[in-house]
Each structure stands twice: as structure tokens, then as C-alpha cells.
DNA sequence: TTATAGATGATACACTGTCTCATTATGATC
DNA sequence: GATCATAATGAGACAGTGTATCATCTATAA
């Protein structure tokens, strides 16, 4: 896929402003999780990051990884991508063209395809890949009214 | 939401033909899970069905519920709807207008909105609901090439 | 320095979804 | 209806995820 010209520091700023507006600090643990997430290729799970960060000289606990991932998610640095199995899957937004996922309900594998803005345009792409479409839905993510109110 | 004129027996036929083409039988347990799923209002989790079916005179085991739900999913009687937490959420397709879900990344609640076929049309609807959109993706589900080949 | 608030890690915990396997049901064939 | 092959079932064990707790550590401001 074609890459964006986004800068990593731009992503880092997302995190910083998120932390600031929530009274949180840019700690060393958070920084490591950020680096691991942003440095990943393709998709990753929380547990994968846990294992990865266990190998580093600077240890980060499982609790911190889970906590930090939630923050990165809300900050918009990463997004959740896979469903259907019991893992949370993520990918970073940086250096990725907007794309969608088509997921197999049997093996939970998925294929990626570029965001073409129009529903009907996607079908031929997927069918050419041998993917039998059973259905689709548009999945928006964000903050609901209740949570927004609760926060202020 | 406006209802379709779909018939329940039409949904039952979906299941029957799925079972037949997979060499499976329409057992009593499957029938009960089907009834419970089709009779549900809104969304439901696997565990909710398990509890529900425990109260009935005819018992159905947890294993059977999970197994049957996968079949109903593949048969197209139900679809998976919610993500982000560790539960599988389902809803039946019967008597439901095509719609999408917008999910809060904090509390995992979601709102539903009708399928209007066009991306940009959705945003004003969600924003009117107080939902702050952080992003979206089109989620297709189906059977991947590998799984289709493996099956034949 | 002291006080305050946030950050962390270890660990316990609840619960989901999967798997195994012995047993039972089903239904086709003779 | 007896026999046989195959599918279905239930009970329980199981691994693994994501959450919660809480005592301890750290950073920052006063
Ligand atoms: Mn992707
Ligand atoms: Mn719905
Ligand atoms: Zn597959
Ligand atoms: Zn919310």
C-alpha cells in the first residue's frame, strides 16, 4: 500500500495532547508502549506487545501495556481492527493508508483493501480475492454522549 | 426501525439448507438455540443464551450453545455485531432493517443507525446523537478463499 | 522537604471460548 | 427390528484474556 508522509512526531503529539487534556504524564512506560506500537508492522495484539516488551532491558508490566493501549486508542494513535476471536487486535494509524478489513468467520483471518469511499466499489476487489461476502457493516468508533458528559 | 416482512420459516430454511449441505442434522438442541436466537430482542451474547436455555425444561449444554451459534452465524441467521470487549455479541437478521453500529471505545455501548448506503450520510446522524466519531471502518464478513478451498 | 497525585508491578480474579471424551441419539441399510 | 456408522451431546477441564486491587514507587509543585 502507498504510504502517507505522516511523521512519527505527529503521532507522538497526538499522545501528548491526549495525556495533557486528561491530566496524565508522559511516563517512560507509556513511551515504550508507544514506540512498540508505532514500530510494529501490520497488526498486533496486546499480548504480543507484552511479550515483546518483556524481552527489552526496560521491563513493562502487563497491566501497564493494557492501560497504555487504551490510551493510545483514545488518542487516535492506534485503532482496533479485528473481531470475532477473543483477542483485541490493533494497528497503528501512522504510515498506513486508510483501509478496511474483510474477515473470515471461520479462521478469523482477514484481507485488507483500500478505502475507496464507496460501498459497491469494494465488492469486486474482495471477490477477486476469492472472498465470499456474507455481509458487511460500517463500524464507527468514538466516544458516546454519556462518556463525554461523564468526563467533563 | 421499520420491519421487514421476512418470515421466520424463511430463516429456518437458511439453517436447514446449511445443515444439509454440511452433513449435519437438525437436532433438538439446535432447534432450541435457533428459537432462542430468533426470539431475542436486540443483541445477545452467547452466555446470555446459555443462561436462558438453562431455565427451560429441556436443557442445552454450554458447548452446544456455542457450537450452534457458530452454525447460525455461518448460515446467515445471525450476525456478529459488537467488538471491543471479550464477549461475542450477536443479533438475528430476521425482522431487522439493515443497520450499522457506532460503538463507544470507553464503555462499549453502541448506537444503531440505518443503512443509508453512503458514508457521508451517516456522520450527521451520529453527531446529532452526541457521538464523537474518532473513525470508522467497513467491516465485511464472509468466507476466505483458503477456507472455501479447504471445504471442497 | 513535604505533600499530592499519578504510575507501576505483582498478583489474584472472573469469565470466555475451546477442547476432550465418554455416552447417547439418529437414521440409513439390511 | 437389528446392526452399524456417524453425528450430537453434556460435563468438566482447560488456557488465556482482560480487569481489579493495592502496596509501593515516582514525579512535580509548593
Ligand atoms: Mn490493517
Ligand atoms: Mn443491531
Ligand atoms: Zn478462513
Ligand atoms: Zn461510552
Amino acid at each position: 500500500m502507498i504510504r502517507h508522509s505522516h511523521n512519527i512526531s505527529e503521532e507522538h503529539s497526538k499522545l501528548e495532547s491526549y495525556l495533557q487534556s486528561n491530566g496524565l504524564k508522559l511516563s517512560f512506560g507509556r513511551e515504550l508502549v508507544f514506540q512498540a506500537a508505532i514500530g510494529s508492522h501490520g497488526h498486533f495484539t496486546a499480548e504480543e506487545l507484552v511479550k515483546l516488551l518483556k524481552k527489552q532491558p526496560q521491563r513493562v508490566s502487563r497491566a501497564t501495556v493494557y492501560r497504555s493501549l487504551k490510551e493510545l486508542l483514545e488518542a487516535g494513535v492506534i485503532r482496533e481492527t479485528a473481531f470475532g476471536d477473543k483477542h483485541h487486535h490493533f494497528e497503528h494509524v501512522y504510515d498506513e493508508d486508510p483501509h478496511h478489513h474483510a474477515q473470515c468467520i471461520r479462521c478469523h483471518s482477514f484481507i485488507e483493501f483500500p478505502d475507496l469511499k464507496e460501498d459497491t466499489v469494494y465488492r469486486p476487489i474482495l471477490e477477486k480475492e476469492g472472498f465470499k461476502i456474507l455481509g458487511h457493516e460500517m463500524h464507527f468508533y468514538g466516544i458516546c454522549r454519556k462518556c463525554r458528559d461523564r468526563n467533563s
Side-chain angles (χ1 to χ4, degrees), chain A:
Chain A
M1 286 199 175
I2 308 159
R3 302 290 157 174
H4 277 176
S5 60
H6 285 154
N7 199 311
I8 287 191
S9 70
E10 213 171 288
E11 297 302 308
H12 204 271
S13 300
K14 281 189 195 174
L15 176 57
E16 285 170 38
S17 55
Y18 169 82
L19 292 178
Q20 186 162 22
S21 65
N22 283 80
L24 304 175
K25 298 162 187 170
L26 179 51
S27 65
F28 197 65
R30 284 198 179 98
E31 182 67 33
L32 283 182
V33 175
F34 171 83
Q35 294 296 340
I38 215 75
S40 72
H41 298 292
H43 297 210
F44 60 91
T45 66
E47 293 296 326
E48 280 167 10
L49 276 206
V50 170
K51 276 179 199 154
L52 186 73
L53 290 172
K54 268 199 168 38
K55 290 177 188 164
Q56 296 216 345
Q58 265 286 358
R59 295 294 171 84
V60 188
S61 74
R62 207 160 79 98
T64 297
V65 172
Y66 274 90
R67 278 189 286 243
S68 299
L69 282 177
K70 278 192 175 170
E71 294 159 6
L72 291 179
L73 190 63
E74 289 209 22
V77 175
I78 61 177
R79 61 174 182 158
E80 214 159 351
T81 57
F83 329 102
D85 60 358
K86 60 179 164 176
H87 303 62
H88 285 194
H89 291 244
F90 306 95
E91 68 184 351
H92 62 243
V93 175
Y94 161 73
D95 205 23
E96 283 277 350
D97 264 359
H99 62 276
H100 302 305
H101 303 96
Q103 191 165 30
C104 175
I105 62 175
R106 288 189 195 155
C107 69
H108 296 132
S109 75
F110 57 85
I111 57 182
E112 298 179 316
F113 55 96
D115 180 10
L116 298 179
K117 296 294 179 214
E118 291 187 34
D119 176 9
T120 52
V121 188
Y122 297 130
R123 304 199 154 255
I125 299 178
L126 295 180
E127 275 155 14
K128 205 173 290 173
E129 295 254 22
F131 191 90
K132 184 188 171 191
I133 301 175
L134 291 180
H136 78 278
E137 58 185 300
M138 190 90 73
H139 179 212
F140 285 86
Y141 57 95
I143 315 283
C144 75
R145 170 178 283 148
K146 210 175 57 185
C147 282
R148 292 173 78 182
D149 292 350
R150 192 184 307 149
N151 214 44
S152 58

